[in-house]
Amino acid sequence: MNVATQPKLSLRPQREEFASLLNLSRRVGCDPQLVQGNNGNISLKLDGVLWIKASGKWLADAKQEDTFVPVELAVVKESLRRNVEIAQLYTWGDELRPSIETAMHAVLPHRVVLHVHSVNTIAWAVRRDGPSQLSKRLAGLDWRWVPYISSGIPLAKKIEKLLSAGPETNVFILGNHGLVICGNDCEAAEALLDDIERRLAIIPRQSPGPEADLLAALTGCSHWRFPDIPALHALGTDPVSRMILKGGVLYPCQAIFLGPRIPMLPFSVRLSRFAGYSNGEAEAPNYAIIEGGGVVVNEKINSAEYATLIGLMQIVQRVEEFAPLRYLTVTEIASVLGDRTNRYRQPFR
Ligand SMILES: [Zn+2]
């Protein structure tokens, strides 16, 4: 198959179901406990065509911008059979490409498929004992645990295999990744999502407030600021969260948007360190976690990175202190960062 550049066509079919898709996308995309930045994707199958979120687009913008692209289901399935990522083959207009997860959406038979990075789900999905923990909470539902596997064709093939063993499955918990929900229409998918969120809800730990004097001094250095979400300081002030973060990378978006290593600085960090960032002696990170102090963000952080940082806080605040965790391996992180970074990160708004 050759690369196909589709003409800029109407990306909004006049169908009631499509309007429902846009409404659902906006609701889900505006909930930071489900979607952070441009992650998450939703699809609708209409007359042999898969309408899938375009890579890099924000679900929150679905009603204002062209966010979905049409791909023939048969073409996606053929590309999967040939082990070719559909996102490499198609582009609409100048920039719209189907999501990296298009193949996964195609192999699921349901009309509506919803993939989110639910912070409640991920707090369970990073645990080695996730399947046993969830068996009680998801009792009565047709769900499967999917051990961590790369996005794109590997994930699609794994889901296809699980479906052949359990065709009734409509909930997939993706280890170290997130949640997939299926429904025969948007209403059914959203109702199932609400049910899962209720079952998997975790009350986040309380954490001490930030060390305001220290952070005020640090943000006195140019280019740094106090985050506008006070809860973000928990990443620095909550010892359990710091311990969890020091263990490694919990899920792909953490590595992609926040880097494979967390910039965590000791409380005794000297102002000279930040001054060094300012005068170009060292490259400043996009954010910094001060142990026992809180969090400061650099003005160069973009909206997707900031949303991911907030999501990370929401997740680690929900992970129990002594939970047995599975972190991404060095090979998995290298794979995520090596060949997918550009496709995930572009374009930002
Ligand atoms: Zn995902």
Side-chain angles (χ1 to χ4, degrees):
M1 283 185 282
N2 297 318
V3 172
T5 300
Q6 302 294 309
K8 190 90 176 172
L9 37 80
S10 166
L11 292 174
R12 289 172 183 247
Q14 297 300 309
R15 296 271 292 266
E16 201 178 311
E17 286 168 291
F18 196 78
S20 300
L21 176 74
L22 298 183
N23 288 328
L24 173 61
S25 298
R26 178 165 166 73
R27 280 196 296 278
V28 168
C30 288
D31 184 345
Q33 292 201 17
L34 295 175
V35 165
Q36 302 83 36
N38 58 15
N39 71 29
N41 37 72
I42 299 181
S43 69
L44 171 67
K45 298 178 184 79
L46 275 180
D47 307 325
V49 172
L50 178 75
W51 288 87
I52 176 79
K53 196 202 81 163
S55 186
K57 284 288 181 177
W58 292 50
L59 285 171
D61 294 336
K63 294 186 76 171
Q64 302 101 278
E65 295 180 9
D66 282 338
T67 302
F68 287 84
V69 290
V71 193
E72 281 181 51
L73 267 171
V75 172
V76 185
K77 288 182 179 173
E78 174 62 11
S79 77
L80 180 61
R81 198 183 64 75
R82 295 185 184 199
N83 285 319
V84 178
E85 294 279 4
I86 192 75
Q88 294 169 5
L89 297 174
Y90 279 80
T91 174
W92 277 261
D94 296 330
E95 62 177 30
L96 295 183
R97 286 179 180 277
S99 160
I100 177 76
E101 305 293 17
T102 300
M104 175 188 74
H105 286 256
V107 300
L108 289 158
H110 310 76
R111 284 169 77 82
V112 175
V113 175
L114 221 154
H115 167 50
V116 289
H117 291 184
S118 147
V119 298
N120 285 306
T121 302
I122 296 177
W124 295 111
V126 296
R127 296 177 64 132
R128 291 185 184 279
D129 63 351
S132 63
Q133 290 285 344
L134 295 179
S135 66
K136 291 172 272 179
R137 292 170 175 85
L138 299 181
L141 298 181
D142 292 318
W143 71 281
R144 292 286 185 281
W145 174 271
V146 186
Y148 178 77
I149 191 162
S150 298
S151 287
I153 287 174
L155 177 58
K157 292 205 162 170
K158 182 69 185 173
I159 296 265
E160 203 170 30
K161 198 169 167 191
L162 288 169
L163 269 178
S164 64
E168 71 290 346
T169 309
N170 57 3
V171 177
F172 295 87
I173 307 292
L174 309 184
N176 292 95
H177 184 167
L179 172 65
V180 175
I181 298 274
C182 311
N184 288 329
D185 55 39
C186 289
E187 253 184 24
E190 190 169 18
L192 186 53
L193 173 65
D194 290 345
D195 185 24
I196 301 285
E197 280 296 297
R198 215 170 24 249
R199 289 168 181 246
L200 301 190
I202 302 171
I203 298 170
R205 267 188 311 280
Q206 295 292 311
S207 60
E211 285 293 328
D213 291 346
L214 172 74
L215 297 182
L218 295 180
T219 53
C221 301
S222 55
H223 309 301
W224 290 89
R225 65 176 167 82
F226 228 61
D228 57 4
I229 300 204
L232 201 49
H233 292 297
L235 290 172
T237 60
D238 174 29
V240 177
S241 293
R242 294 202 307 272
M243 177 194 72
I244 293 168
L245 292 175
K246 284 178 178 175
V249 173
L250 291 165
Y251 52 100
C253 279
Q254 180 187 341
I256 293 165
F257 293 101
L258 302 176
R261 271 176 296 283
I262 295 282
M264 195 177 292
L265 304 174
F267 187 75
S268 59
V269 62
R270 293 195 312 232
L271 283 174
S272 59
R273 177 80 168 262
F274 278 74
Y277 293 145
S278 297
N279 62 28
E281 286 169 20
E283 190 186 349
N286 289 346
Y287 64 97
I289 295 172
I290 314 297
E291 295 188 64
V295 171
V296 285
V297 291
N298 192 285
E299 65 184 16
K300 70 181 179 177
I301 197 167
N302 68 36
S303 51
E305 291 160 347
Y306 192 51
T308 306
L309 187 62
I310 294 164
L312 179 64
M313 174 272 293
Q314 301 259 25
I315 290 165
V316 295
Q317 285 293 93
R318 284 168 168 76
V319 174
E320 289 176 351
E321 182 174 2
F322 299 110
L325 299 181
R326 181 196 182 271
Y327 292 94
L328 296 187
T329 65
V330 170
T331 308
E332 287 164 351
I333 295 169
S335 166
V336 163
L337 293 178
D339 62 10
R340 295 209 166 86
T341 301
N342 288 335
R343 272 186 287 156
Y344 273 117
R345 291 177 67 106
Q346 299 298 328
F348 287 133
R349 70 174 177 187

